[in-house]
């Protein structure tokens, strides 16, 4: 199970409990996680093959 899946599970659990505040916060965490991953991929794409 990857981190994205864990965050998605937390969102569903919060919604099932009716805790919309927690669900909103978990969506923010998930979006930040995705953005950080994209940033890292872009950094890696700009490096020469041996530097990875």
């Amino acid at each position: 199970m990857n981190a994205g899946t864990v965050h998605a599970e937390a969102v569903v659990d919060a919604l099932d409990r009716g805790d919309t505040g927690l669900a909103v916060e978990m969506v923010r965490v998930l979006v930040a996680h995705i953005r950080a991953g994209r940033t890292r991929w872009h950094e890696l794409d700009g490096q020469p093959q041996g530097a990875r």
Side-chain angles (χ1 to χ4, degrees), residues 13-50:
D13 290 344
L15 290 172
D16 285 347
R17 289 193 308 267
D19 190 345
T20 54
L22 180 59
V24 167
E25 187 57 33
M26 291 308 303
V27 168
R28 288 183 180 136
V29 169
L30 182 57
V31 168
H33 173 77
I34 291 167
R35 286 182 175 154
R38 286 181 179 172
T39 299
R40 183 66 181 134
W41 275 110
H42 289 298
E43 289 171 357
L44 292 174
D45 283 345
Q47 293 180 1
Q49 284 294 93

